[in-house]
């Protein structure tokens, strides 16, 4: 028992040490909590920074996508066949005003290497221009059933003085042995009204389309010997500049602008007979 009493102080010290250790382990460390919260706040701030970065990247991607779409639309407009033909049509009109550098019997090859070739060589199946321009645009602007309506600009020679001059293609014949020229059968349809009489008339006629000149020429259908011509620019196939000229002298005495019409037209004129409502069959074209 004496030994047990002597050991009690040591046991008490040992127990106090153990309790102190446990208390030290179990006590909350506020410094660690502060560090943990600081780390959490920094992580949260980093998340906010990343969110802003993603928003900026997303905004830039939207702008880039919009620019790509805009560039794509511009490219599409530049290569659009209608826009290309409009540009070529405008160029052809400018060249007509300024002159091509070739005489009336020759075709201007154009491009960066101007060259004149005979109109007889245009659309003959062989490239005669160094740049091949003489075989580049050989599509006919007319086919059977096409109808062009002409509106007067000025007229000093026709007695009927038509308000509307129609040109209807009734047949197209291509020559295998001579491709630069195509034969046409047409009806010239006149509608007119003046102080003496009014009415309409249908005049069957024969003509040709010259691929080199891009021109329809109609042989005079009446005794007045007035011929009809309609010149395309080679690119716009829905419009041609028309004029009437005296066959013998070539003097132009009337001008019209012809525009292609779609759908049914002038069904009351399709009897293909020379018909004049006012019965003035002796009047002139």
């Amino acid at each position: 028992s004496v030994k047990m009493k002597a050991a009690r102080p040591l046991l008490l010290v040992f127990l106090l040490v153990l309790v102190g250790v446990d208390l030290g382990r179990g006590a909350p460390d506020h410094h660690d909590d502060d560090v943990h919260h600081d780390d959490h706040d920094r992580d949260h701030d980093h998340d906010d920074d990343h969110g802003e970065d993603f928003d900026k990247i997303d905004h830039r991607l939207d702008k880039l996508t919009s620019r790509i779409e805009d560039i794509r639309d511009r490219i599409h407009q530049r290569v659009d066949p209608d826009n290309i033909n409009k540009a070529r049509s405008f160029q052809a009109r400018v060249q007509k005003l300024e002159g091509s550098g070739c005489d009336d019997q020759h075709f201007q090859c154009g491009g960066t290497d101007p060259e004149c070739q005979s109109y007889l060589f245009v659309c003959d199946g062989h490239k005669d221009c160094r740049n091949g321009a003489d075989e580049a645009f050989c599509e006919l602007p007319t086919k059977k059933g096409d109808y062009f309506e002409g509106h007067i600009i000025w007229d000093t020679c026709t007695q009927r003085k038509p308000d509307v001059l129609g040109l209807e293609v009734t047949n197209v014949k291509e020559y295998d042995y001579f491709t630069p020229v195509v034969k046409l059968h047409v009806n010239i349809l006149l509608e007119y009204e003046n102080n003496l009489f009014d009415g309409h008339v249908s005049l069957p006629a024969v003509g040709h389309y010259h691929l080199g000149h891009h021109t329809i020429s109609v042989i005079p259908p009446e005794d007045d010997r007035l011929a009809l011509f309609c010149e395309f620019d080679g690119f716009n196939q829905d419009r041609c500049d028309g004029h009437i000229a005296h066959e013998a002298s070539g003097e132009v005495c009337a001008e019209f602008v012809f525009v292609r019409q779609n759908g049914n037209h002038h069904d009351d004129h399709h009897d293909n007979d020379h018909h004049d409502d006012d019965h003035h069959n002796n009047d002139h074209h």
Side-chain angles (χ1 to χ4, degrees):
S1 69
V2 174
K3 291 181 179 180
M4 291 292 293
K5 290 180 180 180
R8 283 178 181 175
L10 294 174
L11 291 171
L12 181 61
V13 172
F14 182 72
L15 290 172
L16 288 173
V17 171
L18 290 175
V19 171
V21 171
D22 291 337
L23 289 173
R25 289 177 179 176
D29 191 339
H30 295 291
H31 175 70
D32 290 342
D33 288 345
D34 292 339
V35 172
H36 176 71
H37 286 302
D38 289 342
D39 291 340
H40 178 74
D41 290 340
R42 280 196 296 271
D43 291 340
H44 182 71
D45 291 340
H46 288 164
D47 290 341
D48 290 342
D49 292 339
H50 290 321
E52 292 178 2
D53 290 340
F54 285 135
D55 289 340
K56 291 179 181 178
I57 293 172
D58 190 53
H59 181 65
R60 291 184 64 186
L61 286 174
D62 287 341
K63 291 180 67 176
L64 288 172
T65 302
S66 178
R67 289 183 62 186
I68 291 172
E69 290 298 327
D70 183 59
I71 293 172
R72 183 181 299 170
D73 290 341
R74 291 183 181 182
I75 293 174
H76 177 73
Q77 291 177 2
R78 290 181 181 180
V79 300
D80 181 71
D82 290 338
N83 290 336
I84 292 174
N85 283 337
K86 287 178 182 178
R88 288 172 173 169
S89 178
F90 177 76
Q91 183 180 8
R93 290 176 180 275
V94 171
Q95 180 176 290
K96 183 178 180 181
L97 292 173
E98 295 181 345
S100 67
C102 302
D103 59 34
D104 293 341
Q105 303 301 318
H106 289 81
F107 171 80
Q108 174 57 263
C109 297
T112 58
D113 186 18
E115 178 186 4
C116 298
Q117 290 287 348
S118 172
Y119 277 116
L120 297 178
F121 297 156
V122 176
C123 297
D124 64 348
H126 302 281
K127 292 183 179 180
D128 298 288
C129 293
R130 287 186 289 270
N131 61 7
D134 57 313
E135 302 297 321
F137 304 101
C138 297
E139 182 181 355
L140 287 175
T142 60
K143 63 182 183 301
K144 182 178 179 180
D146 281 353
Y147 175 75
F148 294 84
E149 186 174 86
H151 295 271
I152 186 172
I153 298 177
W154 58 274
D155 180 1
T156 62
C157 56
T158 68
Q159 293 192 26
R160 295 187 181 91
K161 299 293 187 294
D163 298 314
V164 177
L165 178 62
L167 182 64
E168 178 189 33
V169 180
T170 59
N171 193 36
V172 177
K173 181 178 180 181
E174 299 183 55
Y175 300 103
D176 294 334
Y177 57 88
F178 190 60
T179 56
V181 177
V182 178
K183 186 176 182 179
L184 304 176
H185 287 270
V186 301
N187 280 333
I188 299 175
L189 308 174
L190 307 176
E191 292 184 2
Y192 51 92
E193 181 178 357
N194 55 46
N195 294 331
L196 297 178
F197 43 76
D198 60 83
H200 64 266
V201 62
S202 176
L203 304 174
V206 176
H208 296 87
Y209 180 75
H210 301 263
L211 288 160
H213 293 278
H214 307 296
T215 301
I216 294 174
S217 60
V218 180
I219 299 172
E222 295 188 291
D223 294 338
D224 56 13
R225 309 310 298 167
L226 293 176
L228 173 65
F229 302 88
C230 203
E231 182 180 1
F232 295 83
D233 60 25
F235 305 103
N236 184 356
Q237 298 188 339
D238 294 327
R239 181 186 184 279
C240 62
D241 296 326
H243 64 268
I244 294 174
H246 294 282
E247 183 183 40
S249 65
E251 179 186 358
V252 176
C253 57
E255 287 190 7
F256 294 78
V257 174
F258 286 85
V259 178
R260 184 189 302 275
Q261 303 296 310
N262 297 318
N264 295 328
H265 52 268
H266 291 267
D267 290 336
D268 55 340
H269 296 301
H270 289 178
D271 53 9
N272 290 331
D273 294 327
H274 184 292
H275 174 66
D276 204 332
D277 282 355
D278 56 24
H279 302 296
H280 288 271
N281 294 324
N282 295 323
D283 294 328
H284 295 295
H285 172 53

